[in-house]
Amino acid sequence: MPSRPMIARTIPALHRALDGLRARKASIALVPTMGALHDGHVSLVRLAKRRARKVVVSIFVNPTQFAPTEDFGSYPRTWKADLAILAAEGVDLIWNPDVKVMYPDGFASRIVTDGPATVGLEDRFRPHFFGGVATVVGKLFAQCRPDIAIFGEKDFQQLRVVTRMAADLDLGVKVIGSRTVRDRDGVAMSSRNVYLSPEQRRAAPVLFQTMKQTALRLRAGEDLQAAQSSAIKTITRAGFAVDYFEVRHAETLQGVTSIKDGPLRILVAAKIGTTRLIDNMAV
Ligand code: PAF
């Protein structure tokens, strides 16, 4: 039975715990999360355990990546269940700072992102998002100084942005992407899936199914624009308002004109009711 993880809530407590973990030069993996953990997070932790001797999971609902109109206040907070999951997975340390610890009075600095953060996907609909993510992830890297950090591929643009930032700022952290975990019907696991009504949840597999169909059609030679338009129609018919359904270069996230411009990634964001889902798939 794995022992209960250590929990740090202040910077000195974090550093004391990390000094202990680093004894005998053990490698450290960080898994940044906002809590409300599900099987997708468990797979990130398991990958972290395979790749490093010690695993730190941060749980911090980061206010700077939410717009005032978004769900910061109602974002699911499930501390007891999260703790049970992380204890069962044998995590070594949970970093769970308060907002005042992460952003003390007078906090006035921010990481500005470019490149994959400004390609007109999530950034078009959530202009504040990547600045907030990069700033908090930069701080988490500085606080925990991990050797590696694991991020889910489900937030594909975020993975690209964080990878770029870690390299650009010489943070000495290797960022590793982990495959999306899906329910049996293809719906990508997400903490926000709890917002879906039973009827909306029944409609949700259309995102996965349409990406799969589109990948097949593109590989069979269908025109890119035609495939994208048809995908948007299918998803709209299922009751979603589509923000984007785009085929992009998988590394740069820039637009492409042909399947020959690959490797390609399909990226989708769509809203059903008040819940916005995002997903992606390799072509
Ligand atoms: O993907 C998330 O859960 C968050 O954006 C992250 C990376 C933990 C930063 O707050």
Side-chain angles (χ1 to χ4, degrees):
M1 182 75 184
S3 57
R4 197 172 182 272
M6 290 182 285
I7 299 168
R9 294 205 164 92
T10 64
I11 299 279
L14 174 70
H15 287 164
R16 270 196 307 277
L18 286 168
D19 286 348
L21 293 183
R22 272 201 201 91
R24 280 180 275 144
K25 300 203 183 335
S27 56
I28 293 192
L30 173 67
V31 182
T33 81
M34 298 205 298
L37 303 180
H38 49 66
D39 285 355
H41 296 109
V42 169
S43 81
L44 304 183
V45 170
R46 290 185 181 170
L47 178 58
K49 287 198 73 137
R50 290 198 295 279
R51 301 292 285 264
R53 286 275 309 285
K54 301 290 178 187
V55 175
V56 180
V57 174
S58 61
I59 298 184
F60 178 66
V61 185
N62 174 37
T64 65
Q65 67 190 74
F66 291 79
T69 51
E70 292 181 346
D71 57 344
F72 173 71
S74 59
Y75 193 84
R77 287 158 173 89
T78 56
W79 169 255
K80 272 195 181 152
D82 293 350
L83 182 57
I85 289 172
L86 297 179
E89 293 301 319
V91 162
D92 298 284
L93 171 62
I94 302 175
W95 172 220
N96 179 222
D98 185 71
V99 174
K100 281 274 183 235
V101 169
M102 192 60 93
Y103 300 112
D105 287 344
F107 183 87
S109 307
R110 206 171 157 86
I111 292 176
V112 177
T113 51
D114 203 343
T118 55
V119 292
L121 294 167
E122 282 305 285
D123 49 296
R124 188 146 66 91
F125 296 90
R126 306 183 70 195
H128 55 280
F129 180 66
F130 289 120
V133 167
T135 301
V136 81
V137 171
K139 282 179 67 80
L140 290 168
F141 285 179
Q143 292 160 346
C144 301
R145 284 170 285 123
D147 300 283
I148 63 170
I150 314 286
F151 289 82
E153 279 188 349
K154 182 183 156 281
D155 296 292
F156 199 75
Q157 191 179 2
Q158 169 175 278
L159 173 62
R160 288 281 161 269
V161 170
V162 167
T163 304
R164 185 75 257 168
M165 183 212 37
D168 288 348
L169 302 184
D170 302 314
L171 298 181
V173 182
K174 183 171 187 214
V175 174
I176 297 172
S178 180
R179 285 169 68 119
T180 302
V181 178
R182 299 181 180 281
D183 281 330
R184 289 166 78 89
D185 59 4
V187 173
M189 292 207 174
S190 161
S191 305
R192 289 190 168 100
N193 289 355
V194 296
Y195 299 150
L196 296 171
S197 70
E199 194 190 337
Q200 291 167 343
R201 179 61 188 76
R202 277 194 293 279
V206 73
L207 299 184
F208 173 73
Q209 286 158 2
T210 310
M211 287 193 294
K212 214 163 127 189
Q213 277 303 318
T214 306
L216 287 174
R217 288 163 75 160
L218 289 173
R219 278 188 232 124
E222 182 165 333
D223 170 71
L224 216 110
Q225 287 303 333
Q228 285 176 174
S229 308
S230 150
I232 290 172
K233 277 192 197 126
T234 306
I235 296 171
T236 307
R237 264 201 308 271
F240 281 86
V242 179
D243 281 349
Y244 57 82
F245 184 103
E246 297 214 17
V247 183
R248 294 287 182 102
H249 190 277
E251 291 298 326
T252 64
L253 300 184
Q254 294 294 335
V256 290
T257 50
S258 140
I259 184 155
K260 295 193 193 76
D261 299 336
L264 302 183
R265 198 92 191 175
I266 300 170
L267 298 109
V268 60
K271 228 170 161 184
I272 188 155
T274 53
T275 305
R276 187 169 180 275
L277 301 181
I278 64 171
D279 204 347
N280 65 87
M281 184 180 283
V283 173

